[in-house]
């Protein structure tokens, strides 16, 4: 092809590997590194001791003593992801060590500068996100054993003990259950382009099954996470400094910017697979919900975000099914939408148990304890009582998302 002849390059085939996604791990980082190179020992030492340093209120002083390390010895995606995971966990611990009434306005230079540099290299924001907390924060106990909860552990932890481990690993199992969904999305897009109705029908069935398996995985939260521990201990460390009354002015990253910056906390809305399902199925969210979801894409690894955008640009699956007149495709399409509605409904059930009911119990418990012991009792976190850690008004947002999904059904 001659340059400048007006011809366009043919589109690249839709292949998961192009987007740092895989047929074995989906959006999970495959077999993450668990240790950084020797020069970063000071970071790893603090990171491995985070729960104890935070609960004993010593983390901030340890960070202040931490040497200023250059990021130039970090090479490759795996080392950068582990560095981002480590620095994001240290940052959350530093910010929230004293609870929502003891926040700081400045992240010190020796933490802020390397965190910013690693974030820029990965195209991720300088805050703990789903990409760190879940996708890059897992290891097998037995390297040859299965990707199951009994054989898994986190790499870096925060206060919360077994409930924190359970919260991270159950969420990871939801992402693992989604892996066939990624493959089905690619198959469906190809089948619409060819067109190949048999392949499309099979891909839609596989997609519905993957979403149902994600729902089954989500239900394991009850077995592994104590609602009281999640609400009173874990949740604050997932909170960001955007749309959070506890940090209304954001955070200054010393040595990076003199102006405070605002970032949302970790959220399930940062999960690539849910955005990809919405784009493929043509789900249209309300203006407010769509704006929040679109902003959450900025918290995904850029290749994952590019995958979602590629699905958005693909020919409309919904229109193809409608114009096909094929009853089997109608049914299979609606099974996918229905499974996604069920998943989102169940997410509301989880949030009710782990936030709304847990918040009420925390309030009652603290009130009772306060009458016995005076004012020294810690207050339950309240800044995000009605909001998700990402900063959305959680119930109106989740119900809006669920209802918009339901409206995506094709009427026979």
């Amino acid at each position: 092809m001659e340059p400048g002849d007006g011809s366009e390059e043919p589109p690249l085939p839709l292949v998961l590997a192009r987007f740092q996604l895989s047929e074995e791990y989906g959006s999970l980082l495959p077999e993450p590194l668990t240790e950084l190179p020797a020069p970063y020992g000071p970071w790893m030492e603090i990171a491995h001791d985070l729960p104890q340093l935070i609960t004993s209120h010593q983390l901030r002083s340890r960070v202040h003593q931490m040497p200023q390390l250059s990021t130039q010895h970090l090479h490759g995606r795996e080392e950068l992801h582990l560095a981002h995971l480590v620095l994001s966990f240290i940052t959350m611990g530093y910010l929230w060590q004293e609870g929502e009434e003891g926040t700081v306005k400045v992240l010190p230079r020796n933490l802020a500068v390397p965190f910013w540099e690693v974030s820029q290299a990965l195209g991720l924001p300088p805050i703990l996100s789903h990409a760190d907390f879940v996708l890059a924060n897992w290891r097998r106990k037995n390297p040859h054993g299965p990707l199951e909860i009994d054989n898994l552990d986190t790499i870096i932890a925060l206060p919360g003990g077994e409930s924190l481990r359970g919260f991270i690993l159950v969420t990871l199992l939801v992402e693992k259950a989604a892996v066939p969904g990624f493959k089905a999305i690619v198959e469906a897009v190809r089948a619409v382009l060819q067109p190949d109705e048999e392949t499309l029908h099979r891909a839609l069935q596989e997609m519905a099954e993957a979403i149902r398996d994600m729902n089954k995985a989500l239900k394991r939260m009850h077995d592994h996470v104590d609602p009281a521990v999640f609400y009173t201990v874990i949740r604050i460390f997932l909170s960001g400094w955007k749309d959070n009354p506890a940090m209304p002015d954001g955070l200054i990253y010393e040595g990076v910017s003199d102006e405070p910056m605002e970032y949302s906390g970790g959220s399930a809305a940062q999960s690539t697979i849910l955005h990809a399902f919405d784009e493929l199925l043509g789900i249209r969210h309300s203006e407010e919900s769509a704006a929040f979801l679109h902003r959450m894409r900025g918290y995904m690894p850029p290749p994952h975000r590019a995958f979602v955008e590629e699905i958005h640009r693909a020919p409309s699956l919904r229109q193809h099914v409608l114009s096909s007149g094929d009853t089997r495709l109608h049914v299979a399409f609606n099974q996918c939408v229905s499974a996604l509605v069920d998943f989102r409904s169940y997410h509301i059930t989880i949030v009710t148990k782990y936030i709304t009911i847990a918040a009420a119990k925390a309030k009652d418990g603290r009130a009772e304890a306060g009458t016995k012991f005076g004012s020294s009792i810690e207050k339950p976190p309240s800044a995000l009582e009605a909001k998700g850690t990402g900063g959305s008004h959680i119930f109106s947002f989740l119900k809006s998302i669920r209802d918009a999904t339901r409206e995506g059904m094709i009427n026979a």
Side-chain angles (χ1 to χ4, degrees):
M1 185 189 297
E2 293 296 320
D5 67 358
S7 309
E8 286 191 14
E9 291 282 332
L12 291 167
L14 187 64
V15 179
L16 289 175
R18 257 179 65 205
F19 304 97
Q20 292 180 4
L21 299 164
S22 79
E23 294 201 354
E24 187 176 356
Y25 295 102
S27 60
L28 297 173
L29 186 66
E31 306 296 347
L33 289 181
T34 58
E35 287 293 336
L36 285 172
Y40 302 101
W43 292 353
M44 295 305 299
E45 199 177 314
I46 290 174
H48 285 315
D49 207 16
L50 271 180
Q52 190 272 330
L53 288 172
I54 293 167
T55 52
S56 63
H57 302 272
Q58 296 175 56
L59 177 61
R60 286 181 185 169
S61 61
R62 280 290 298 275
V63 167
H64 296 155
Q65 297 159 25
M66 195 172 76
Q68 175 96 39
L69 300 178
S70 162
T71 55
Q72 68 182 20
H73 304 293
L74 294 167
H75 302 292
R77 183 163 70 106
E78 285 77 12
E79 287 186 6
L80 285 167
H81 270 297
L82 179 55
H84 200 275
L85 168 67
V86 163
L87 295 172
S88 65
F89 268 65
I90 294 173
T91 295
M92 299 319 254
Y94 184 91
L95 256 294
W96 300 112
Q97 173 182 290
E98 302 301 325
E100 65 186 17
E101 293 184 352
T103 56
V104 294
K105 296 184 184 300
V106 179
L107 194 66
R109 178 186 308 267
N110 58 347
L111 181 52
V113 170
F115 194 17
W116 178 262
E117 289 173 357
V118 170
S119 299
Q120 291 294 105
L122 284 170
L124 289 170
I127 191 171
L128 179 69
S129 69
H130 183 74
D132 307 295
F133 190 64
V134 176
L135 304 184
N137 190 23
W138 63 277
R139 63 178 184 83
R140 295 178 208 255
K141 293 176 182 175
N142 172 357
H144 307 294
L147 206 66
E148 295 297 344
I149 202 157
D150 293 339
N151 190 45
L152 289 170
D153 209 346
T154 57
I155 299 169
I156 311 295
L158 287 161
E162 282 301 302
S163 283
L164 177 90
R165 177 181 171 273
F167 182 64
I168 293 171
L169 296 179
V170 169
T171 309
L172 180 141
L173 293 180
V174 175
E175 292 285 356
K176 180 197 166 199
V179 173
F182 278 110
K183 293 192 275 190
I185 286 169
V186 170
E187 286 294 316
V189 170
R190 287 179 187 159
V192 169
L193 287 166
Q194 284 175 340
D196 178 346
E197 311 299 48
E198 275 305 316
T199 299
L200 179 56
H201 182 253
R202 185 174 66 250
L204 290 174
Q205 287 181 312
E206 287 166 0
M207 195 185 312
E209 188 63 25
I211 300 169
R212 287 192 284 266
D213 286 343
M214 288 168 67
N215 207 359
K216 281 181 202 160
L218 183 59
K219 289 178 179 178
R220 298 181 69 180
M221 201 68 78
H222 304 290
D223 302 327
H224 297 281
V225 186
D226 180 327
V229 175
F230 176 78
Y231 185 78
T232 60
V233 179
I234 297 169
R235 192 166 182 253
I236 193 168
F237 295 105
L238 309 181
S239 304
W241 29 99
K242 180 178 174 59
D243 301 324
N244 186 346
M247 288 188 69
D249 302 320
L251 179 67
I252 292 171
Y253 289 72
E254 188 181 39
V256 174
S257 169
D258 294 333
E259 294 298 314
M261 293 189 264
E262 296 185 332
Y263 293 101
S264 298
S267 167
Q270 296 163 2
S271 174
T272 303
I273 190 66
L274 295 171
H275 289 253
F277 285 146
D278 278 352
E279 291 294 359
L280 184 74
L281 297 170
I283 307 298
R284 295 288 165 257
H285 295 293
S286 71
E287 194 174 341
E288 187 179 352
S289 295
F292 176 76
L293 286 169
H294 201 75
R295 189 158 61 74
M296 289 297 100
R297 292 184 186 180
Y299 293 75
M300 297 174 188
H304 296 185
R305 186 161 67 241
F307 177 75
V308 175
E309 286 159 4
E310 188 94 349
I311 304 306
H312 174 74
R313 286 192 294 270
S316 167
L317 168 65
R318 183 186 179 82
Q319 286 307 316
H320 180 85
V321 171
L322 279 167
S323 59
S324 73
D326 187 327
T327 308
R328 288 194 321 152
L329 289 183
H330 279 217
V331 170
F333 181 95
N334 280 348
Q335 283 174 340
C336 291
V337 176
S338 177
L340 198 53
V341 170
D342 289 346
F343 180 81
R344 289 182 156 145
S345 293
Y346 200 77
H347 189 199
I348 293 169
T349 302
I350 291 281
V351 168
T352 303
K353 175 177 175 177
Y354 283 88
I355 296 178
T356 312
I357 296 171
K361 285 184 177 175
K363 263 186 183 173
D364 290 347
R366 292 291 193 273
E368 274 181 36
T371 57
K372 287 181 194 169
F373 303 110
S375 60
S376 63
I377 295 296
E378 289 178 27
K379 292 181 181 178
S382 61
L384 291 179
E385 255 177 13
K387 287 189 174 186
T389 44
S392 64
H393 287 279
I394 194 157
F395 275 101
S396 57
F397 170 71
L398 291 177
K399 285 175 180 171
S400 158
I401 294 290
R402 190 264 320 273
D403 294 346
T405 305
R406 188 179 283 134
E407 284 165 19
M409 299 280 274
I410 291 176
N411 296 320

